[in-house]
Amino acid sequence: MKSYKEMTESVLKRRDDYISEKKIKTQKIKKAAVAVICVSFVCLCALLIGGVEKDKPVVSGTMENFYGGAEATTETEKMVTVNEVDAGDFFLTGACSPESYDITVLDEKEAAEHLGKTLDFSFLPDYLKTSKNNSRNKIYLDKTTGKVVDGGITFTYWNEYGEDKLPIPVGSGGKGISFTACREDEAMLDKYKWPENIKASYIDGVKVYIGKAEMEALGEYDFETGETEIIPYYVHAAKFRNSGLKFVISATNFTDDEFIKILTDFINTNKD
């Protein structure tokens, strides 16, 4: 039979072991919380890049540097060029105060009336589902002049949405694409800083600029190792004019082939 001292030491040891184990679990929970926050941030970035909803317009100037579509004249011009760009230089940051603008919210019917055209997305693969924000587009007007400072109307499609109706993050397998359209006579603020030496592509006579930037997303958190998986992926973007409208298309977590096929189908399907 154990002595009183031995039993006391045993109880104290179990207490110490319990406290130590509780600290370890608490540290793991904290790390997991940080990982969740980081993943949420990546998801938010995906939304901003994809243009799911624009509560604040991006500051960058105008998109008047578009080129009119022209028929390709050489074999080189007929080729599709995907320009690899540096992510740190490609994505524009900053926001204007919404207090400086009047915001008009448009549903899908009103958006089509504003653009003067109903865009057709029937060519999209079945796994891409429409965002709830497609029926809540915003256009921004200067409060003083009434002039449209951002007439871009965005339609987003994502492969899966969470219970909060937001796209699931890339680290959890999220992928999607956004189509932003603007009337020729209205301004649309830039989302990207296109390099001066970027090469053009010709898709069925439409002059298109395509950029691709490599990104990283946070995957699942490993409670055993205390590490979070880093998942590389790409963001594609394209800008062009077609059928009297200006377009910017943004895609998250697609391959070159996937993006070019959807881009080509969109241009062909929505030609006048």
Side-chain angles (χ1 to χ4, degrees):
M1 182 175 180
K2 292 184 179 179
S3 66
Y4 175 78
K5 180 179 179 181
E6 288 175 330
M7 287 189 291
T8 300
E9 289 177 347
S10 177
V11 170
L12 291 176
K13 185 177 184 303
R14 287 200 301 271
R15 183 203 63 181
D16 292 341
D17 290 342
Y18 171 78
I19 292 174
S20 178
E21 183 178 352
K22 188 175 181 180
K23 285 182 179 179
I24 293 173
K25 288 183 178 179
T26 301
Q27 289 175 349
K28 289 184 177 181
I29 291 172
K30 286 181 178 180
K31 288 181 179 179
V34 171
V36 170
I37 292 172
C38 291
V39 168
S40 299
F41 176 74
V42 171
C43 183
L44 177 60
C45 290
L47 296 183
L48 293 175
I49 292 169
V52 173
E53 183 172 9
K54 303 174 293 178
D55 289 328
K56 297 180 181 180
V58 178
V59 174
S60 65
T62 64
M63 292 199 75
E64 296 308 316
N65 58 338
F66 274 93
Y67 295 82
E71 292 295 333
T73 57
T74 67
E75 288 302 317
T76 301
E77 287 178 331
K78 293 178 183 178
M79 295 175 60
V80 173
T81 301
V82 178
N83 299 270
E84 294 192 10
V85 295
D86 184 83
D89 298 328
F90 192 49
F91 302 112
L92 295 174
T93 58
C96 296
S97 170
E99 297 176 357
S100 303
Y101 304 97
D102 287 323
I103 300 174
T104 300
V105 180
L106 306 176
D107 61 25
E108 291 185 70
K109 181 180 178 181
E110 292 168 332
E113 291 174 351
H114 181 80
L115 292 173
K117 182 180 180 68
T118 299
L119 298 177
D120 184 353
F121 299 102
S122 60
F123 62 88
L124 287 173
D126 292 339
Y127 68 83
L128 291 176
K129 307 173 183 65
T130 183
S131 165
K132 66 174 184 178
N133 293 309
N134 290 359
S135 60
R136 296 191 318 197
N137 262 288
K138 298 178 176 70
I139 58 174
Y140 295 80
L141 301 89
D142 188 281
K143 284 187 175 181
T144 304
T145 65
K147 185 177 180 180
V148 174
V149 294
D150 185 5
I153 292 175
T154 298
F155 301 94
T156 296
Y157 297 84
W158 205 261
N159 66 327
E160 189 175 343
Y161 298 87
E163 293 181 359
D164 55 5
K165 306 301 181 182
L166 294 176
I168 63 170
V170 175
S172 298
K175 62 185 298 183
I177 190 166
S178 292
F179 304 81
T180 300
C182 182
R183 285 166 32 180
E184 289 273 11
D185 61 343
E186 291 183 345
M188 178 167 65
L189 298 184
D190 280 336
K191 296 178 181 180
Y192 306 104
K193 183 179 180 181
W194 298 89
E196 293 182 1
N197 61 344
I198 193 167
K199 294 182 179 179
S201 298
Y202 287 83
I203 298 177
D204 291 329
V206 176
K207 194 172 187 177
V208 185
Y209 290 89
I210 304 172
K212 177 177 77 171
E214 186 173 6
M215 306 286 286
E216 289 184 343
L218 294 178
E220 294 185 3
Y221 175 77
D222 190 326
F223 284 90
E224 295 296 327
T225 64
E227 297 179 352
T228 302
E229 183 183 7
I230 303 298
I231 301 174
Y233 69 99
Y234 288 100
V235 170
H236 288 79
K239 68 171 183 174
F240 58 96
R241 291 178 185 266
N242 192 23
S243 302
L245 296 173
K246 298 179 287 189
F247 292 96
V248 172
I249 298 180
S250 309
T252 302
N253 202 17
F254 281 80
T255 65
D256 289 357
D257 289 343
E258 287 176 319
F259 180 68
I260 291 169
K261 183 180 186 308
I262 289 177
L263 174 62
T264 301
D265 289 345
F266 176 78
I267 291 175
N268 288 333
T269 302
N270 289 282
K271 273 188 173 181
D272 290 334

